[in-house]
Amino acid sequence: MKNMLQFKFIMLVLCLVVCAIKLQAQEQDSIAPIDTVSADSRLKAGKVEPYWLTVTYDKTTHIIFPSKIKYVDLGSEYLIAGKADGADNVLRIKAAIRDFEPETNFSVVTEDGRFYNFDVFYSRYPTTINYDVLKMLQTENKEKVNDVLFEDLGSTQPSMTEAAMKTIYSKNKKLIKHIGSYSFGINFMLKGIYIYNGQYYFHIELKNSSNVPFNVDFLTFKIVDKKTARRTAVQENDLVPLRTYVSMESIIAGKVERNVLLLEQFTLDDDKILRIEIFEKNGGRHQTLEVENADLIRAKPVTELKLIY
């Protein structure tokens, strides 16, 4: 009898423990929705408001962005999209099927670090099929929103990089007067070197004084030995620009084109130089600039410029 009472007591204790555990679990489950609502309310403070547009099946919509497109993500299979051929800042998008009913979306990240989100609806007769995002931003005064950081730019905000390149290009100052190349009616010069947050901004200019257009094939930055700089290239270290401000393709007779290129910070040994070369497509009028370490360390800080946004 005594053993039976002890057994019942133990079972009662076990039941109470199990009930306590279940009750605690229920309480935790009941807390979760409150935490979710709280988190959701905090996220709303940083909500990225979407723009909306309509697309159709028989026409293509084009969206012109202020900077090159780096990333596009489509919300569903109802849409097809891609960069326009030969235009890195133009997105073409259209409906993949007719008369889709659900709302969908897509997102775009551009090289200047801006993030755009669009809600998309189907329309058989869209009132607008071409959009200029820059004009929209100027109208709505949203130039400084959603700055996305890119790995190749490190901690530098892309909008800051874009503003610096725009300022250097627009002010068009000539800080360097001794680095240039002239032959066959083509004048290639380095106008300035700027520095900010571990990165160089090279401002170059190409002038065509001949009657024959100069079609640019490609531009290279290489660190080479001084002794071999004018001969066959050996022990070369290629440097790849992180960003270019504009696209230089063809310089017609009597015209001048400029550009700003962004490179990682570096310095040169005494026996090394930086060789900048621009090559002519289907031609031999390529030009060469030689930059020494003394030119690099005299780079002008970007912080001294009044930036244009």
Side-chain angles (χ1 to χ4, degrees):
M1 188 68 172
K2 183 179 179 181
N3 291 337
M4 181 62 69
L5 291 173
Q6 289 178 342
F7 176 76
K8 289 183 178 180
F9 176 75
I10 293 172
M11 291 300 295
L12 178 61
V13 171
L14 290 175
C15 288
L16 292 173
V17 171
V18 171
C19 289
I21 293 173
K22 287 183 177 180
L23 181 61
Q24 185 178 8
Q26 289 175 355
E27 290 177 350
Q28 289 177 347
D29 289 341
S30 66
I31 291 173
I34 298 175
D35 287 345
T36 303
V37 171
S38 176
D40 182 58
S41 66
R42 290 196 296 270
L43 285 173
K44 283 184 178 179
K47 180 181 178 182
V48 178
E49 292 292 343
Y51 303 102
W52 69 268
L53 74 158
T54 55
V55 296
T56 191
Y57 183 82
D58 296 311
K59 293 182 179 180
T60 300
T61 295
H62 289 86
I63 305 174
I64 306 170
F65 291 90
S67 185
K68 295 179 181 178
I69 298 167
K70 293 277 289 184
Y71 166 88
V72 178
D73 181 73
L74 302 179
S76 72
E77 69 277 7
Y78 297 133
L79 302 175
I80 54 175
K83 288 191 289 187
D85 295 339
D88 289 336
N89 69 321
V90 179
L91 180 74
R92 47 185 174 82
I93 188 165
K94 65 185 301 184
I97 62 175
R98 296 180 185 273
D99 301 316
F100 67 80
E101 293 184 0
E103 171 190 338
T104 185
N105 77 320
F106 69 94
S107 300
V108 176
V109 175
T110 53
E111 194 174 78
D112 57 0
R114 291 173 181 158
F115 174 86
Y116 304 90
N117 185 34
F118 299 85
D119 286 342
V120 186
F121 307 86
Y122 188 89
S123 172
R124 294 186 181 182
Y125 309 103
T127 57
T128 306
I129 58 173
N130 297 311
Y131 300 87
D132 187 337
V133 174
L134 179 59
K135 185 180 296 184
M136 174 192 70
L137 293 175
Q138 291 172 341
T139 302
E140 299 185 4
N141 194 27
K142 290 186 177 180
E143 290 89 342
K144 302 176 184 178
V145 294
N146 311 326
D147 216 356
V148 177
L149 295 179
F150 295 122
E151 184 177 355
D152 58 350
L153 295 182
S155 60
T156 304
Q157 292 184 331
S159 59
M160 176 64 185
T161 298
E162 185 77 8
M165 298 177 81
K166 181 178 181 180
T167 303
I168 294 168
Y169 186 88
S170 300
K171 292 189 175 181
N172 192 21
K173 292 184 177 181
K174 189 174 182 180
L175 304 181
I176 298 175
K177 300 181 180 179
H178 64 285
I179 301 178
S181 170
Y182 181 83
S183 61
F184 306 109
I186 304 299
N187 188 9
F188 184 41
M189 68 176 66
L190 179 63
K191 303 195 70 173
I193 304 174
Y194 299 80
I195 186 76
Y196 174 71
N197 204 18
Q199 292 164 340
Y200 284 123
Y201 296 78
F202 284 80
H203 185 197
I204 61 172
E205 179 179 280
L206 192 66
K207 180 179 180 180
N208 186 1
S209 299
S210 74
N211 294 321
V212 180
F214 185 96
N215 298 314
V216 178
D217 194 2
F218 57 90
L219 179 72
T220 62
F221 288 78
K222 295 181 179 181
I223 297 176
V224 300
D225 294 333
K226 284 184 178 180
K227 295 180 181 180
T228 61
R230 302 180 188 277
R231 299 181 303 179
T232 303
V234 294
Q235 296 182 346
E236 295 181 345
N237 182 15
D238 289 347
L239 303 177
V240 180
L242 302 175
R243 296 287 186 275
T244 57
Y245 185 63
V246 296
S247 177
M248 294 179 67
E249 297 179 355
S250 180
I251 297 87
I252 63 176
K255 294 296 183 179
V256 178
E257 295 288 346
R258 294 180 295 107
N259 207 348
V260 180
L261 299 102
L262 180 69
L263 284 86
E264 288 285 1
Q265 178 182 313
F266 62 94
T267 55
L268 300 169
D269 294 333
D270 291 338
D271 61 341
K272 302 284 186 180
I273 63 169
L274 172 66
R275 186 172 64 194
I276 306 173
E277 289 186 287
I278 191 165
F279 291 83
E280 182 182 21
K281 186 180 296 183
N282 300 323
R285 295 183 293 174
H286 74 274
Q287 305 293 315
T288 303
L289 304 178
E290 295 181 356
V291 182
E292 298 188 347
N293 195 57
D295 303 309
L296 294 175
I297 62 176
R298 286 196 292 265
K300 183 180 180 66
V302 168
T303 50
E304 293 182 10
L305 301 176
K306 187 175 180 181
L307 297 186
I308 303 173
Y309 289 92

PDB file of all heavy atoms in Angstrom, residues 196-211:
ATOM      1  N   TYR A 196      41.041  60.121 -52.433  1.00  0.00           N
ATOM      2  CA  TYR A 196      40.040  60.118 -51.362  1.00  0.00           C
ATOM      3  C   TYR A 196      39.825  58.702 -50.862  1.00  0.00           C
ATOM      4  O   TYR A 196      39.586  57.781 -51.650  1.00  0.00           O
ATOM      5  CB  TYR A 196      38.702  60.678 -51.850  1.00  0.00           C
ATOM      6  CG  TYR A 196      37.592  60.557 -50.813  1.00  0.00           C
ATOM      7  CD1 TYR A 196      37.597  61.354 -49.672  1.00  0.00           C
ATOM      8  CD2 TYR A 196      36.580  59.620 -50.968  1.00  0.00           C
ATOM      9  CE1 TYR A 196      36.602  61.235 -48.715  1.00  0.00           C
ATOM     10  CE2 TYR A 196      35.573  59.497 -50.020  1.00  0.00           C
ATOM     11  CZ  TYR A 196      35.598  60.305 -48.891  1.00  0.00           C
ATOM     12  OH  TYR A 196      34.615  60.163 -47.933  1.00  0.00           O
ATOM     13  N   ASN A 197      39.952  58.517 -49.556  1.00  0.00           N
ATOM     14  CA  ASN A 197      39.606  57.258 -48.889  1.00  0.00           C
ATOM     15  C   ASN A 197      40.286  56.051 -49.539  1.00  0.00           C
ATOM     16  O   ASN A 197      39.665  55.008 -49.773  1.00  0.00           O
ATOM     17  CB  ASN A 197      38.088  57.072 -48.892  1.00  0.00           C
ATOM     18  CG  ASN A 197      37.621  56.167 -47.761  1.00  0.00           C
ATOM     19  OD1 ASN A 197      38.341  55.936 -46.797  1.00  0.00           O
ATOM     20  ND2 ASN A 197      36.404  55.647 -47.884  1.00  0.00           N
ATOM     21  N   GLY A 198      41.567  56.198 -49.827  1.00  0.00           N
ATOM     22  CA  GLY A 198      42.324  55.074 -50.369  1.00  0.00           C
ATOM     23  C   GLY A 198      42.108  54.801 -51.836  1.00  0.00           C
ATOM     24  O   GLY A 198      42.389  53.690 -52.305  1.00  0.00           O
ATOM     25  N   GLN A 199      41.625  55.799 -52.589  1.00  0.00           N
ATOM     26  CA  GLN A 199      41.380  55.599 -54.014  1.00  0.00           C
ATOM     27  C   GLN A 199      41.807  56.837 -54.806  1.00  0.00           C
ATOM     28  O   GLN A 199      41.660  57.966 -54.344  1.00  0.00           O
ATOM     29  CB  GLN A 199      39.896  55.293 -54.259  1.00  0.00           C
ATOM     30  CG  GLN A 199      39.472  53.942 -53.701  1.00  0.00           C
ATOM     31  CD  GLN A 199      37.972  53.779 -53.588  1.00  0.00           C
ATOM     32  OE1 GLN A 199      37.244  54.763 -53.572  1.00  0.00           O
ATOM     33  NE2 GLN A 199      37.523  52.560 -53.480  1.00  0.00           N
ATOM     34  N   TYR A 200      42.339  56.595 -56.006  1.00  0.00           N
ATOM     35  CA  TYR A 200      42.775  57.661 -56.912  1.00  0.00           C
ATOM     36  C   TYR A 200      41.688  57.963 -57.936  1.00  0.00           C
ATOM     37  O   TYR A 200      40.991  57.060 -58.413  1.00  0.00           O
ATOM     38  CB  TYR A 200      44.025  57.260 -57.678  1.00  0.00           C
ATOM     39  CG  TYR A 200      45.317  57.311 -56.902  1.00  0.00           C
ATOM     40  CD1 TYR A 200      46.112  56.172 -56.785  1.00  0.00           C
ATOM     41  CD2 TYR A 200      45.766  58.492 -56.317  1.00  0.00           C
ATOM     42  CE1 TYR A 200      47.308  56.206 -56.095  1.00  0.00           C
ATOM     43  CE2 TYR A 200      46.961  58.536 -55.626  1.00  0.00           C
ATOM     44  CZ  TYR A 200      47.737  57.389 -55.518  1.00  0.00           C
ATOM     45  OH  TYR A 200      48.918  57.425 -54.826  1.00  0.00           O
ATOM     46  N   TYR A 201      41.603  59.237 -58.302  1.00  0.00           N
ATOM     47  CA  TYR A 201      40.744  59.673 -59.401  1.00  0.00           C
ATOM     48  C   TYR A 201      41.652  60.285 -60.468  1.00  0.00           C
ATOM     49  O   TYR A 201      42.276  61.332 -60.244  1.00  0.00           O
ATOM     50  CB  TYR A 201      39.729  60.715 -58.934  1.00  0.00           C
ATOM     51  CG  TYR A 201      38.728  60.201 -57.920  1.00  0.00           C
ATOM     52  CD1 TYR A 201      39.079  60.036 -56.580  1.00  0.00           C
ATOM     53  CD2 TYR A 201      37.423  59.891 -58.295  1.00  0.00           C
ATOM     54  CE1 TYR A 201      38.167  59.570 -55.652  1.00  0.00           C
ATOM     55  CE2 TYR A 201      36.495  59.426 -57.364  1.00  0.00           C
ATOM     56  CZ  TYR A 201      36.879  59.269 -56.050  1.00  0.00           C
ATOM     57  OH  TYR A 201      35.972  58.804 -55.122  1.00  0.00           O
ATOM     58  N   PHE A 202      41.751  59.657 -61.630  1.00  0.00           N
ATOM     59  CA  PHE A 202      42.594  60.145 -62.721  1.00  0.00           C
ATOM     60  C   PHE A 202      41.710  60.880 -63.735  1.00  0.00           C
ATOM     61  O   PHE A 202      40.763  60.303 -64.280  1.00  0.00           O
ATOM     62  CB  PHE A 202      43.307  58.984 -63.416  1.00  0.00           C
ATOM     63  CG  PHE A 202      44.469  58.430 -62.641  1.00  0.00           C
ATOM     64  CD1 PHE A 202      44.264  57.543 -61.603  1.00  0.00           C
ATOM     65  CD2 PHE A 202      45.774  58.801 -62.958  1.00  0.00           C
ATOM     66  CE1 PHE A 202      45.325  57.016 -60.892  1.00  0.00           C
ATOM     67  CE2 PHE A 202      46.848  58.285 -62.257  1.00  0.00           C
ATOM     68  CZ  PHE A 202      46.625  57.395 -61.210  1.00  0.00           C
ATOM     69  N   HIS A 203      42.059  62.137 -63.993  1.00  0.00           N
ATOM     70  CA  HIS A 203      41.316  62.970 -64.945  1.00  0.00           C
ATOM     71  C   HIS A 203      42.138  63.061 -66.227  1.00  0.00           C
ATOM     72  O   HIS A 203      43.225  63.639 -66.245  1.00  0.00           O
ATOM     73  CB  HIS A 203      41.099  64.361 -64.347  1.00  0.00           C
ATOM     74  CG  HIS A 203      40.250  65.250 -65.202  1.00  0.00           C
ATOM     75  ND1 HIS A 203      40.206  66.619 -65.043  1.00  0.00           N
ATOM     76  CD2 HIS A 203      39.392  64.987 -66.238  1.00  0.00           C
ATOM     77  CE1 HIS A 203      39.381  67.146 -65.922  1.00  0.00           C
ATOM     78  NE2 HIS A 203      38.883  66.172 -66.655  1.00  0.00           N
ATOM     79  N   ILE A 204      41.617  62.486 -67.320  1.00  0.00           N
ATOM     80  CA  ILE A 204      42.350  62.460 -68.580  1.00  0.00           C
ATOM     81  C   ILE A 204      41.588  63.230 -69.657  1.00  0.00           C
ATOM     82  O   ILE A 204      40.377  63.441 -69.555  1.00  0.00           O
ATOM     83  CB  ILE A 204      42.601  61.016 -69.059  1.00  0.00           C
ATOM     84  CG1 ILE A 204      41.276  60.294 -69.304  1.00  0.00           C
ATOM     85  CG2 ILE A 204      43.456  60.252 -68.045  1.00  0.00           C
ATOM     86  CD1 ILE A 204      41.439  58.938 -69.971  1.00  0.00           C
ATOM     87  N   GLU A 205      42.333  63.630 -70.702  1.00  0.00           N
ATOM     88  CA  GLU A 205      41.724  64.360 -71.827  1.00  0.00           C
ATOM     89  C   GLU A 205      42.343  63.875 -73.129  1.00  0.00           C
ATOM     90  O   GLU A 205      43.546  63.641 -73.218  1.00  0.00           O
ATOM     91  CB  GLU A 205      41.952  65.862 -71.672  1.00  0.00           C
ATOM     92  CG  GLU A 205      41.362  66.690 -72.809  1.00  0.00           C
ATOM     93  CD  GLU A 205      41.586  68.183 -72.615  1.00  0.00           C
ATOM     94  OE1 GLU A 205      40.831  68.790 -71.846  1.00  0.00           O
ATOM     95  OE2 GLU A 205      42.544  68.724 -73.223  1.00  0.00           O
ATOM     96  N   LEU A 206      41.497  63.740 -74.153  1.00  0.00           N
ATOM     97  CA  LEU A 206      41.954  63.330 -75.480  1.00  0.00           C
ATOM     98  C   LEU A 206      41.394  64.312 -76.507  1.00  0.00           C
ATOM     99  O   LEU A 206      40.174  64.490 -76.608  1.00  0.00           O
ATOM    100  CB  LEU A 206      41.475  61.907 -75.802  1.00  0.00           C
ATOM    101  CG  LEU A 206      42.096  61.230 -77.029  1.00  0.00           C
ATOM    102  CD1 LEU A 206      43.576  60.977 -76.799  1.00  0.00           C
ATOM    103  CD2 LEU A 206      41.386  59.916 -77.326  1.00  0.00           C
ATOM    104  N   LYS A 207      42.297  64.946 -77.249  1.00  0.00           N
ATOM    105  CA  LYS A 207      41.901  65.944 -78.253  1.00  0.00           C
ATOM    106  C   LYS A 207      42.329  65.467 -79.630  1.00  0.00           C
ATOM    107  O   LYS A 207      43.455  65.029 -79.832  1.00  0.00           O
ATOM    108  CB  LYS A 207      42.547  67.293 -77.942  1.00  0.00           C
ATOM    109  CG  LYS A 207      42.184  68.387 -78.940  1.00  0.00           C
ATOM    110  CD  LYS A 207      42.830  69.715 -78.567  1.00  0.00           C
ATOM    111  CE  LYS A 207      42.462  70.802 -79.560  1.00  0.00           C
ATOM    112  NZ  LYS A 207      43.088  72.110 -79.200  1.00  0.00           N
ATOM    113  N   ASN A 208      41.416  65.581 -80.586  1.00  0.00           N
ATOM    114  CA  ASN A 208      41.695  65.171 -81.961  1.00  0.00           C
ATOM    115  C   ASN A 208      41.828  66.413 -82.841  1.00  0.00           C
ATOM    116  O   ASN A 208      40.842  67.069 -83.179  1.00  0.00           O
ATOM    117  CB  ASN A 208      40.581  64.261 -82.480  1.00  0.00           C
ATOM    118  CG  ASN A 208      40.894  63.689 -83.857  1.00  0.00           C
ATOM    119  OD1 ASN A 208      41.957  63.956 -84.427  1.00  0.00           O
ATOM    120  ND2 ASN A 208      39.976  62.896 -84.379  1.00  0.00           N
ATOM    121  N   SER A 209      43.054  66.728 -83.219  1.00  0.00           N
ATOM    122  CA  SER A 209      43.308  67.881 -84.100  1.00  0.00           C
ATOM    123  C   SER A 209      43.404  67.477 -85.561  1.00  0.00           C
ATOM    124  O   SER A 209      43.633  68.327 -86.429  1.00  0.00           O
ATOM    125  CB  SER A 209      44.617  68.571 -83.684  1.00  0.00           C
ATOM    126  OG  SER A 209      44.527  69.045 -82.355  1.00  0.00           O
ATOM    127  N   SER A 210      43.228  66.207 -85.840  1.00  0.00           N
ATOM    128  CA  SER A 210      43.295  65.724 -87.220  1.00  0.00           C
ATOM    129  C   SER A 210      41.904  65.730 -87.839  1.00  0.00           C
ATOM    130  O   SER A 210      40.912  66.063 -87.181  1.00  0.00           O
ATOM    131  CB  SER A 210      43.877  64.307 -87.254  1.00  0.00           C
ATOM    132  OG  SER A 210      42.911  63.378 -86.774  1.00  0.00           O
ATOM    133  N   ASN A 211      41.851  65.357 -89.105  1.00  0.00           N
ATOM    134  CA  ASN A 211      40.564  65.267 -89.806  1.00  0.00           C
ATOM    135  C   ASN A 211      39.977  63.858 -89.774  1.00  0.00           C
ATOM    136  O   ASN A 211      38.911  63.622 -90.339  1.00  0.00           O
ATOM    137  CB  ASN A 211      40.739  65.709 -91.267  1.00  0.00           C
ATOM    138  CG  ASN A 211      41.102  67.178 -91.377  1.00  0.00           C
ATOM    139  OD1 ASN A 211      40.589  68.010 -90.628  1.00  0.00           O
ATOM    140  ND2 ASN A 211      42.006  67.494 -92.304  1.00  0.00           N
TER     141      ASN A 211
END
